[in-house]
Amino acid sequence: MNTITVVGLGAGDLEQLPLGVYRLIKGSETLFLRTKEHPVVNDLTAEGVEFHSFDEIYEKHDRFEEVYEEITQILVSQAEKGPIVYAVPGHPLVAEKTVQLLLELQQEGKIDVKVGGGQSFIDALFASVGADPIDGFQLLDGTSLRLQDIHMNQQLIIGQVYDGFIASEVKLTLMELYPYDYEVMLVTAAGSKDEQVERIPLVELDRTAGLSNLTSLYVPAVKGMEDSFKQYGTLREIISTLRGPDGCPWDKEQTHQSLKKYLIEETYELLEAIDEDDIDHIVEELGDVLLQVMLHAQIGEDEGMFTMEEVIETIASKMVRRHPHVFGTVEVEDAEQVTANWDKIKQQEKGGVEGQEPMLKNTAKGMPALLKAYEYQKKAAKVGFDWPDAKGAWDKVWEELKEFESEVEKSSETAIKKEFGDILFALVNVARFYKIFPEEALAMTNSKFYRRFSYVEEKVHSSGKTFDDFTLEELDSFWNEAKNKNIG
């Protein structure tokens, strides 16, 4: 099996090239370069070194994955004819996808790969920006930068920021977290005689000239907590501090039980914001709901029972398991099939078979009565216990109304209450046939009543009188004014 020897051209000039690498390159009969766009290459050419480069392959493909795969295929094919040397910028094991692909093939027994030396551009870059890597850093690829991979409390080195398009993509991603005027540094040809270091505000990143395949972006770590409020880790730290020895007395004394009412309150306030279609309010209320989740998770950690990571793992695992049509090979045609699969998988996870326990036993536990009625009916309908159409549901409403009227005439308090509950239950059934979520419908009516009654209240106050000074007919006229003005 012939060998591919991979060496690094370093980050700068020929003088910085390790002697062993220099000798290997000079003595190689077949030398391939991933790219000839490197400061060392001109010096090697001047010394008569002959090579083949893969620059033209970059022009053939739209995706880097395809470029790297073709380069790897060519190298393997050439190695079948005899030993070759493959030289890459920097160090072979730092940000070199083609080398990783070759090493994978070696593990499969298809090729023999030897990794030589080389100076990583990381050393030169840290020297260029005057920073210490011991403070912690991330090395990220500008062509595939993901928001969730970024840790603001660490230094970032983002490679392959070689043109305006990539720079723009990187800028937009970073500005999801960092201020637009956050100072970053563009470093080109680090460690060479052509080195350039430019300090710029983040917003100017894609407006800078001189970007090339030798350009990397350095983003300093944020210093203050207030600069990293957008990161999950910062929120986690804040909650931990509030519950810690020197934290807030109120937060420290909370329990799962004491927080229950706040979770309910914040959830309903979120629903109200959604009904109002108020984006800023939705953002605020989502934060309040998340706060409750974080507090419960922190209590679990403080008590040694569970952590937030376990909460996240549980829901992430559940989402993957219950969406085999997305994360697996199952095929579905519509949302109804998705729901059916979800219920089937849920039943399997609970280790049971349908019919082994009462169907409604674990349905809508802890929900308000209106929501529970809706869930009970929906569950029963799945096994055919349902009216064939909405007419049957409407007939039941009229039947329950008559029974209610009958009990009212008898003045039986308990019976009246039961029959009124039957009316509500029957109306929930009607709502289900028209695909109306009753809780949402009632919430909308509550909001409408609030706004229209506020108008009536405003009219009363502006008159200088009190409610007692108005008849019901007069107050009702104010209500109709609000209605005619489309208030609510």
Side-chain angles (χ1 to χ4, degrees):
M1 184 183 298
N2 289 321
T3 301
I4 300 176
T5 302
V6 187
V7 295
L9 297 175
D13 304 315
L14 186 64
E15 289 76 12
Q16 295 175 303
L17 201 64
L19 180 59
V21 173
Y22 175 73
R23 286 176 173 171
L24 189 60
I25 290 174
K26 290 279 289 184
S28 64
E29 295 183 5
T30 308
L31 174 65
F32 287 90
L33 305 182
R34 179 168 66 77
T35 176
K36 64 179 183 293
E37 301 300 325
H38 190 281
V40 169
V41 177
N42 288 336
D43 295 328
L44 292 175
T45 302
E47 293 189 10
V49 175
E50 296 183 355
F51 57 83
H52 308 276
S53 79
F54 294 113
D55 292 275
E56 73 279 358
I57 295 180
Y58 285 85
E59 305 298 326
K60 292 173 55 178
H61 302 286
D62 296 325
R63 296 169 58 248
F64 281 104
E65 290 83 356
E66 296 170 348
V67 172
Y68 300 145
E69 288 170 2
E70 182 170 346
I71 290 175
T72 303
Q73 291 170 3
I74 293 174
L75 289 171
V76 171
S77 175
Q78 290 297 319
E80 293 175 355
K81 304 174 184 177
I84 63 174
V85 174
Y86 175 46
V88 298
H91 191 283
L93 296 180
V94 178
E96 279 298 332
K97 182 63 177 178
T98 53
V99 177
Q100 295 302 319
L101 292 174
L102 289 171
L103 292 174
E104 289 174 8
L105 292 175
Q106 178 177 243
Q107 291 179 348
E108 297 172 9
K110 297 179 179 179
I111 194 73
D112 182 29
V113 179
K114 291 183 179 179
V115 178
Q119 181 189 27
S120 165
F121 77 98
I122 297 175
D123 297 339
L125 187 142
F126 273 111
S128 300
V129 300
D132 189 345
I134 196 64
D135 293 332
F137 74 95
Q138 291 181 271
L139 177 60
L140 302 172
D141 186 344
T143 64
S144 57
L145 186 63
R146 300 190 309 166
L147 190 67
Q148 58 266 35
D149 292 336
I150 297 171
H151 299 291
M152 298 177 71
N153 60 336
Q154 292 188 330
Q155 305 169 89
L156 304 184
I157 297 176
I158 302 176
Q160 301 210 72
V161 187
Y162 54 80
D163 63 21
F165 176 77
I166 297 298
S168 178
E169 292 294 311
V170 169
K171 179 186 81 171
L172 292 174
T173 301
L174 292 176
M175 283 178 61
E176 291 287 328
L177 296 173
Y178 298 84
Y180 76 95
D181 58 351
Y182 196 75
E183 186 176 81
V184 298
M185 301 170 72
L186 275 173
V187 183
T188 301
S192 74
K193 63 180 182 295
D194 298 322
E195 174 184 283
Q196 293 181 2
V197 179
E198 187 177 3
R199 296 176 179 269
I200 56 171
L202 178 58
V203 71
E204 298 289 337
L205 178 59
D206 55 347
R207 305 171 193 169
T208 303
L211 298 174
S212 73
N213 66 317
L214 299 178
T215 301
S216 296
L217 177 67
Y218 173 76
V219 182
V222 298
K223 300 300 181 184
M225 177 183 286
E226 65 278 3
D227 295 325
S228 60
F229 280 159
K230 291 183 178 180
Q231 291 248 295
Y232 161 75
T234 302
L235 176 59
R236 180 85 189 273
E237 181 182 351
I238 290 171
I239 302 302
S240 177
T241 302
L242 289 172
R243 292 268 308 167
D246 299 322
C248 170
W250 185 89
D251 288 282
K252 287 194 288 185
E253 70 181 21
Q254 297 310 306
T255 66
H256 292 306
Q257 288 295 327
S258 70
L259 289 173
K260 283 168 59 178
K261 62 180 180 180
Y262 300 109
L263 178 57
I264 293 172
E265 288 175 7
E266 299 300 353
T267 301
Y268 276 101
E269 288 180 13
L270 171 60
L271 295 177
E272 181 181 1
I274 293 173
D275 288 338
E276 294 172 348
D277 198 23
D278 185 334
I279 300 302
D280 291 338
H281 195 194
I282 290 174
V283 170
E284 179 184 357
E285 296 304 335
L286 277 172
D288 288 343
V289 172
L290 177 59
L291 169 61
Q292 297 304 311
V293 175
M294 297 294 288
L295 281 170
H296 280 284
Q298 188 62 47
I299 291 170
E301 184 168 337
D302 293 341
E303 295 177 348
M305 302 304 293
F306 63 90
T307 66
M308 188 64 187
E309 283 68 30
E310 291 177 83
V311 174
I312 294 172
E313 179 189 28
T314 299
I315 188 61
S317 164
K318 181 191 292 186
M319 289 300 100
V320 172
R321 287 196 313 272
R322 296 190 185 178
H323 289 83
H325 54 288
V326 177
F327 301 103
T329 57
V330 173
E331 295 184 2
V332 294
E333 295 180 359
D334 50 36
E336 288 185 9
Q337 237 179 351
V338 171
T339 303
N341 282 346
W342 177 285
D343 291 337
K344 182 178 179 181
I345 295 169
K346 182 178 180 180
Q347 190 69 34
Q348 292 171 347
E349 289 173 356
K350 294 184 180 297
V353 179
E354 262 186 277
Q356 283 188 346
E357 64 176 21
M359 288 180 56
L360 305 183
K361 181 179 178 182
N362 295 310
T363 301
K365 293 176 68 174
M367 284 189 180
L370 187 65
L371 293 176
K372 185 173 288 190
Y374 181 81
E375 292 299 323
Y376 278 172
Q377 294 176 18
K378 190 170 69 171
K379 192 88 169 185
K382 288 183 178 179
V383 294
F385 191 73
D386 198 10
W387 303 108
D389 52 43
K391 182 181 182 302
W394 274 115
D395 290 342
K396 189 64 176 175
V397 169
W398 306 132
E399 176 187 324
E400 297 297 349
L401 279 169
K402 290 176 182 177
E403 291 180 6
F404 176 72
E405 289 176 342
S406 175
E407 293 300 336
V408 168
E409 291 175 0
K410 297 176 185 177
S411 299
S412 172
E413 184 176 341
T414 301
I416 290 173
K417 189 182 297 183
K418 287 182 178 179
E419 292 301 334
F420 186 75
D422 289 346
I423 294 172
L424 294 177
F425 196 84
L427 284 171
V428 168
N429 215 359
V430 171
R432 192 174 52 80
F433 272 98
Y434 293 102
K435 300 188 184 304
I436 296 170
F437 190 49
E439 182 70 19
E440 181 183 12
L442 185 57
M444 291 173 63
T445 298
N446 286 341
S447 297
K448 178 172 63 178
F449 182 86
Y450 173 86
R451 288 188 287 270
R452 289 184 182 175
F453 185 79
S454 295
Y455 178 85
V456 172
E457 188 177 21
E458 181 183 336
K459 296 293 287 186
V460 170
H461 290 164
S462 64
S463 72
K465 301 177 182 179
T466 67
F467 275 91
D468 293 336
D469 297 323
F470 290 87
T471 64
L472 177 59
E473 289 74 17
E474 290 172 326
L475 293 175
D476 197 44
S477 70
F478 293 148
W479 177 276
N480 289 328
E481 283 183 26
K483 185 176 181 180
N484 292 333
K485 291 182 177 181
N486 292 321
I487 295 176

